[in-house]
Amino acid sequence: MNWYEQPCPAPSEIHRIAARQRQATLTKPAGSLGRLEQVAEQFAAWQHTDTPALERVSARIFAADHGITAQGVSAYPAEVTAQMITNFIDGGAAASVLCKQQNIDLEVINLGTFIPVPDMPGLRQRVVAAGTADFSSAPAMTAEQVDKALATGAEVVDGLDCQLMIAGDMGIGNTSAASALMAALLDLGAAETTGRGTGIDSERLAAKAATIQRALNLHQQKLDTPLAALQCLGGFEIAAMAGAYIRAAQRQLPSLVDGFISTAAALVASQMNSGVQPWLIAGHCSAENAHQLLLDAMQLSPLLQLDMRLGEGSGALTAVPLIKAALALNNDMASFAEAGIAEES
């Protein structure tokens, strides 16, 4: 059995129920805090306590380039990936700002860019190759490359000391890879899964969808397993995120899933290992048109819907204060008995 097939422990239903019972004693009408109550119950199940806490959050941004950019699928040139890695480290990216504001541990993992990125503090060099192949004409990765990328995600998680992981992405062209993976794994057409990504116009959107559909047709005979689909269509950073989600679930560490790319990686992970899904919580629904469909397919209900479509883990990072609020309400509200308030008759 490969490491990614090893089982994931299930969250504790005993503690989920205990948190629900605790919620019923607090000074509020039953269910009046809505999703906030459910979030507290999820974290109770994950942490094996009816008073869960969230004090340590780690964000890891996985970055890589994509050969599919040669087909003009993005509004930005591929060299932006390497430039943005430096921007993350320098503190100028949205994810960097949000992590600094919330005192969240941030690291960037370079899986392979067309332009080499120099070593710098806060950057982990785990280069698989200088970008993937163009999956519209060949498999994106070799078997060895996809295994290395998956293992890198596991390695990253093995080094974490936190209560919640956020996997962010950076890779020009990666909405094309995510759209192709979603189509292959959910048996959909490219027109249903392809969005504007970095903001392409309608003409380029149609061309992007057609390119992805041709790629799906090209690889059709090889897309019989999630791993094979990942190898044919994915990116190094998507594979690493999938590996991170699997290892996190195996370690009983919940993951706060970000946008379309991150959710596509989570789909891969959950299809490779069915024990992953119970350890996922969706931070937001992005403005990428297929993201809601993808969340629905995974039975994930997003905490926020702010029309964000940046990636980097930014939507998930924005949801962290909401989770902390849910846990504070669960832990610190008085019960009816403590407050001397009459309960519902």
Side-chain angles (χ1 to χ4, degrees):
M1 181 180 290
N2 291 304
W3 70 264
Y4 47 77
E5 297 172 310
Q6 295 288 336
C8 308
S12 170
E13 284 303 312
I14 292 174
H15 292 92
R16 187 192 304 272
I17 293 168
R20 187 171 304 156
Q21 291 170 338
R22 176 184 177 83
Q23 288 279 340
T25 71
L26 302 181
T27 49
K28 60 178 177 60
S32 60
L33 288 177
R35 284 291 307 284
L36 297 178
E37 298 182 17
Q38 297 167 22
V39 168
E41 292 170 14
Q42 276 187 284
F43 275 80
W46 288 329
Q47 294 185 9
H48 291 207
T49 175
D50 65 350
T51 54
L54 185 56
E55 297 160 348
R56 302 184 312 281
V57 181
S58 291
R60 295 294 180 265
I61 299 176
F62 297 88
D65 270 322
H66 294 254
I68 193 69
T69 53
Q71 303 301 319
V73 295
S74 174
Y76 287 85
E79 48 268 33
V80 169
T81 303
Q83 294 165 356
M84 279 300 300
I85 290 175
T86 300
N87 193 33
F88 289 127
I89 301 300
D90 289 344
S96 310
V97 172
L98 290 167
C99 285
K100 182 179 180 181
Q101 186 234 354
Q102 299 182 61
N103 195 30
I104 290 174
D105 169 42
L106 173 66
E107 184 183 35
V108 182
I109 298 89
N110 175 24
L111 279 300
T113 53
F114 295 143
I115 299 173
V117 179
D119 294 341
M120 58 189 86
L123 175 64
R124 189 183 309 203
Q125 300 278 21
R126 291 295 183 270
V127 175
V128 177
T132 58
D134 179 353
F135 71 75
S136 69
S137 58
M141 293 176 264
T142 66
E144 293 76 18
Q145 287 173 338
V146 72
D147 283 346
K148 184 175 180 180
L150 284 163
T152 296
E155 173 205 330
V156 168
V157 170
D158 282 339
L160 297 180
D161 177 20
C162 63
Q163 297 156 308
L164 182 68
M165 181 194 73
I166 296 172
D169 68 276
M170 181 63 227
I172 298 301
N174 63 9
T175 59
S176 294
S179 298
L181 281 167
M182 178 182 173
L185 297 178
L186 298 181
D187 195 23
L188 299 171
E192 298 174 85
T193 65
T194 305
R196 296 183 185 274
T198 49
I200 56 176
D201 60 25
S202 296
E203 182 179 352
R204 291 178 74 180
L205 175 61
K208 177 181 176 181
T211 298
I212 292 170
Q213 189 60 57
R214 287 196 301 273
L216 291 168
N217 295 342
L218 173 68
H219 299 295
Q220 186 175 10
Q221 300 304 315
K222 301 176 182 177
L223 304 178
D224 52 346
T225 67
L227 182 61
L230 182 61
Q231 180 185 336
C232 287
L233 306 170
F236 297 144
E237 84 280 33
I238 294 175
M241 285 192 290
Y245 289 133
I246 294 171
R247 177 68 93 203
Q250 289 171 337
R251 287 189 51 195
Q252 303 183 67
L253 173 64
S255 297
L256 180 59
V257 181
D258 186 43
F260 183 59
I261 314 303
S262 299
T263 312
L267 175 67
V268 174
S270 62
Q271 289 203 2
M272 289 178 66
N273 187 321
S274 61
V276 170
Q277 201 277 344
W279 293 93
L280 305 176
I281 182 170
H284 78 126
C285 180
S286 80
E288 189 72 5
N289 69 321
H291 192 206
Q292 184 63 65
L293 180 63
L294 181 52
L295 289 168
D296 290 343
M298 296 188 66
Q299 299 182 318
L300 293 174
S301 180
L303 296 175
L304 299 172
Q305 188 153 2
L306 300 174
D307 295 332
M308 298 174 70
R309 54 180 179 84
L310 177 60
E312 307 177 2
S314 57
L317 288 164
T318 303
V320 170
L322 187 68
I323 295 172
K324 290 185 176 181
L327 302 188
L329 289 165
N330 176 80
N331 297 348
D332 299 337
M333 280 183 70
S335 68
F336 285 100
E338 290 167 341
I341 296 174
E343 297 189 49
E344 181 181 18
S345 59

